[in-house]
């Protein structure tokens, strides 16, 4: 049976304190389908005999536009964005029961927001009240995200072009950060350099809170306070990427505060770099999701044995997972509108196969805390190298090569 109605609201504005709001960010699903960036908007897609797209949005309001800026209004939005219909957002609750009448299903992000759940139940109950006039209410409610997630997982050419640009801007920000780093500057000064480059090149915001972690702070995986002084002889780990037109980049680079790797730092850095190369080698159509992780772990585990950080044979270290003491996270995630993007990782209980148009990060690392049974030269070294990779027909394309990655490239840049 055909038909069905999908209802996709954008994100609410969120108050920060009193009259101030957090910078507005639309809902990713809504933006994926509409490109519309104003708050207080809902997309309704009607399937069946009379298929159409309907936008509900804020009306034009000269008084509010003087204070808060331009609004398209329903007529303007219809004209500019090509919706089949557009109506004032105030008419949503009145129109939805009519649109849902005699439709087999409602497709909705059930469970994402209790206020929206209650509204959806209200629309359904309004339709049910009309049953004695011969009107049928939808018999099924489906999670609209299941379909959209699979669509979003495979990026089209235009999406990849935007992600390539987000990656370029983010790589330039990492280069700027490397150039500006020196002993006794503080982590937040380097964070400011990243933000400066993102915004200077037109990115709207960071895609996530930047991690700028000197020395042992790099061993805190989600370190975001970014307020410590940078010390001569330490490494600096930066995990930062911008959001451009709704799409994220996600890059990590680790480099010496004074511009030269120490022998111990270099040993571990080369190991992480080799594990990343082995992982990227596995990114091609037909490879399964976990192949890059398996490849990275194998290289890291052997390296930890060779450097005296893990004991036993490779098979034992992998079997007992003793490498997890130093490498406890996974090697990547889907990347797209959300930094940890949508899409299943397994299908039918098996790791899914990579396909052209999928974008993922490859981000192995090692994090070594001081301990009596750990060689002291490795204490407080945290390293991660993270790049963004698109699966292509023939293999993969690394989007983030603009940020230097090898020891020689990094030391050369920092010597300038
Ligand atoms: N920046 C978040 C991550 O690397 O997963
Ligand atoms: Mn990542
Ligand atoms: Mn990251």
């Amino acid at each position: 049976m055909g038909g069905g109605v999908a209802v996709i609201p954008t994100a609410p504005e969120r108050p920060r304190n009193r009259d101030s709001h957090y910078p507005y960010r639309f809902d990713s699903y809504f933006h994926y389908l509409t490109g519309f960036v104003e708050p207080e908007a809902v997309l309704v897609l009607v399937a069946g005999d009379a298929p159409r797209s309907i936008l509900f949005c804020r009306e034009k309001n000269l008084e509010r536009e003087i204070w808060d800026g331009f609004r398209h209004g329903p007529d303007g939005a219809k004209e500019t964005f090509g919706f089949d219909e557009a109506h004032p957002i105030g008419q949503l609750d009145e129109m939805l029961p009519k649109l849902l009448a005699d439709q087999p299903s409602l497709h909705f992000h059930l469970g994402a927001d209790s206020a929206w759940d209650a509204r959806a139940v209200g629309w359904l109950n309004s339709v049910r009240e009309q049953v004695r006039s011969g009107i049928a209410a939808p018999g099924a409610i489906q999670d609209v995200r299941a379909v959209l997630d699979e669509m979003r997982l495979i990026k089209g050419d235009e999406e990849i072009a935007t992600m390539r640009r987000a990656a370029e801007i983010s790589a330039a920000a990492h280069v700027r950060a490397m150039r500006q780093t020196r002993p006794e500057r503080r982590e937040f000064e380097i964070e400011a350099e990243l933000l400066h480059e993102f915004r200077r090149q037109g990115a709207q915001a960071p895609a996530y809170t930047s991690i700028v972690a000197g020395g042992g702070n790099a061993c805190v995986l989600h370190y975001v306070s970014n307020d410590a002084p940078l010390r001569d002889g330490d490494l600096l780990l930066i995990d930062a990427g911008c959001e451009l037109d709704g799409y994220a980049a996600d890059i990590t680079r680790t480099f010496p505060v004074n511009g030269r790797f120490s022998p111990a730092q270099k040993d571990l850095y080369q190991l992480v770099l080799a594990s990343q190369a082995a992982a990227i080698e596995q990114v091609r159509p037909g490879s399964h999701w976990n192949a890059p992780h398996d490849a990275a772990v194998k290289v890291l585990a052997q390296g930890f044995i060779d450097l005296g950080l893990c004991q036993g044979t490779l098979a034992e270290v992998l079997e007992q997972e003793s490498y997890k003491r130093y490498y406890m996270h996974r090697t990547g995630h889907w990347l797209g509108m959300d930094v940890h993007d949508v899409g299943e990782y397994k299908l039918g209980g098996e790791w899914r196969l990579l396909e052209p148009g999928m974008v993922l990060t490859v981000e192995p690392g090692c994090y070594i805390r001081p301990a009596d049974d750990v060689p002291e030269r490795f204490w407080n070294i945290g390293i991660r190298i993270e790049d963004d990779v698109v699966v292509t027909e023939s293999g993969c394309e690394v989007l983030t090569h603009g940020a230097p990655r090898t020891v020689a490239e990094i030391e050369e840049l920092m010597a300038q």
Side-chain angles (χ1 to χ4, degrees):
M1 182 169 54
V5 175
V7 179
I8 299 118
T10 195
E13 293 177 285
R14 307 218 187 249
R16 185 170 182 276
N17 55 318
R18 272 183 85 90
D19 290 340
S20 293
H21 285 74
Y22 285 103
Y24 182 69
R25 168 55 158 78
F26 42 75
D27 174 78
S28 295
Y29 294 104
F30 177 85
H31 191 266
Y32 178 76
L33 293 170
T34 64
F36 194 71
V37 299
E38 291 180 31
E40 297 185 83
V42 176
L43 175 69
V44 178
L45 296 173
V46 181
D49 297 338
R52 58 207 194 276
S53 61
I54 308 171
L55 181 77
F56 291 84
C57 68
R58 301 181 303 191
E59 293 185 84
K60 295 291 289 176
N61 178 330
L62 187 56
E63 169 72 8
R64 287 315 325 161
E65 290 184 55
I66 286 170
W67 287 88
D68 301 330
F70 176 77
R71 300 176 171 199
H72 283 89
D75 293 342
K78 180 174 173 224
E79 174 75 23
T80 305
F81 292 84
F83 301 104
D84 296 314
E85 292 177 25
H87 304 283
I89 185 72
Q91 293 179 13
L92 184 74
D93 289 326
E94 180 194 325
M95 288 190 67
L96 246 294
K98 292 177 190 143
L99 293 167
L100 287 168
D102 291 325
Q103 284 282 1
S105 50
L106 168 63
H107 301 255
F108 189 66
H109 66 339
L110 201 67
D113 179 319
S114 54
W116 276 109
D117 289 354
R119 275 176 93 168
V121 169
W123 307 327
L124 289 168
N125 283 341
S126 295
V127 191
R128 289 176 187 134
E129 281 163 13
Q130 302 172 63
V131 62
R132 278 177 302 282
S133 13
I135 290 171
I141 304 175
Q142 288 189 11
D143 193 334
V144 69
R145 291 171 293 194
V147 179
L148 294 176
D149 286 354
E150 286 300 300
M151 292 169 65
R152 283 175 53 188
L153 177 57
I154 309 288
K155 277 74 178 172
D157 291 346
E158 235 176 90
E159 293 180 282
I160 290 174
T162 305
M163 293 188 75
R164 194 176 282 121
R165 183 74 193 123
E168 276 170 13
I169 296 171
S170 303
H174 279 262
V175 169
R176 184 185 187 95
M178 286 179 194
R179 290 213 163 102
Q180 293 295 330
T181 294
R182 60 188 64 100
E184 301 318 320
R185 295 197 80 181
R186 296 178 81 103
E187 291 164 344
F188 53 70
E189 294 179 68
I190 307 306
E191 181 183 15
E193 299 293 340
L194 297 162
L195 298 176
H196 177 104
E197 195 66 25
F198 291 166
R199 213 56 191 110
R200 192 181 78 79
Q201 297 212 37
Q204 287 82 10
Y208 54 92
T209 306
S210 306
I211 296 171
V212 182
N217 295 337
C219 297
V220 179
L221 296 179
H222 293 162
Y223 178 82
V224 288
S225 48
N226 300 351
D227 54 3
L230 299 173
R231 291 203 318 246
D232 201 347
D234 278 352
L235 292 176
L236 174 60
L237 181 153
I238 297 181
D239 184 344
C242 70
E243 179 175 299
L244 177 71
D245 299 339
Y247 288 83
D250 184 6
I251 303 181
T252 307
R253 289 292 182 265
T254 310
F255 53 94
V257 167
N258 64 15
R260 305 285 300 178
F261 286 87
S262 75
Q265 290 166 351
K266 199 183 287 189
D267 284 346
L268 284 172
Y269 189 87
Q270 307 272 33
L271 173 62
V272 176
L273 193 60
S275 76
Q276 198 207 28
I280 292 175
E281 179 83 6
Q282 296 298 319
V283 181
R284 57 182 129 81
S287 223
H288 68 76
W289 165 260
N290 216 41
H293 180 68
D294 288 342
V297 163
K298 220 177 195 173
V299 173
L300 287 172
Q302 184 60 56
F304 294 155
I305 295 168
D306 297 342
L307 294 171
L309 288 160
C310 283
Q311 277 67 48
T313 64
L314 178 60
E316 285 164 354
V317 169
L318 293 175
E319 166 69 23
Q320 293 157 14
E321 300 188 333
S322 53
Y323 66 83
K324 282 195 175 172
R325 183 175 181 194
Y326 312 113
Y327 181 48
M328 60 298 279
H329 60 73
R330 298 195 50 83
T331 303
H333 49 81
W334 302 130
L335 182 71
M337 299 192 77
D338 299 318
V339 65
H340 291 179
D341 206 32
V342 297
E344 299 289 351
Y345 291 91
K346 281 190 171 178
L347 295 177
E350 303 287 339
W351 294 115
R352 81 185 298 159
L353 301 183
L354 298 179
E355 297 170 42
M358 292 175 169
V359 184
L360 58 147
T361 65
V362 181
E363 49 177 307
C366 71
Y367 312 91
I368 306 190
R369 289 169 175 269
D372 288 344
D373 59 341
V374 170
E376 196 169 340
R377 67 195 201 106
F378 296 128
W379 288 8
N380 290 315
I381 295 181
I383 296 169
R384 180 164 62 255
I385 307 172
E386 175 173 31
D387 284 277
D388 304 345
V389 183
V390 192
V391 184
T392 61
E393 297 290 341
S394 58
C396 70
E397 176 191 342
V398 177
L399 298 177
T400 40
H401 51 69
R405 215 166 17 169
T406 65
V407 167
E409 285 167 353
I410 290 171
E411 290 189 342
E412 191 192 321
L413 177 86
M414 295 190 71
Q416 284 168 14

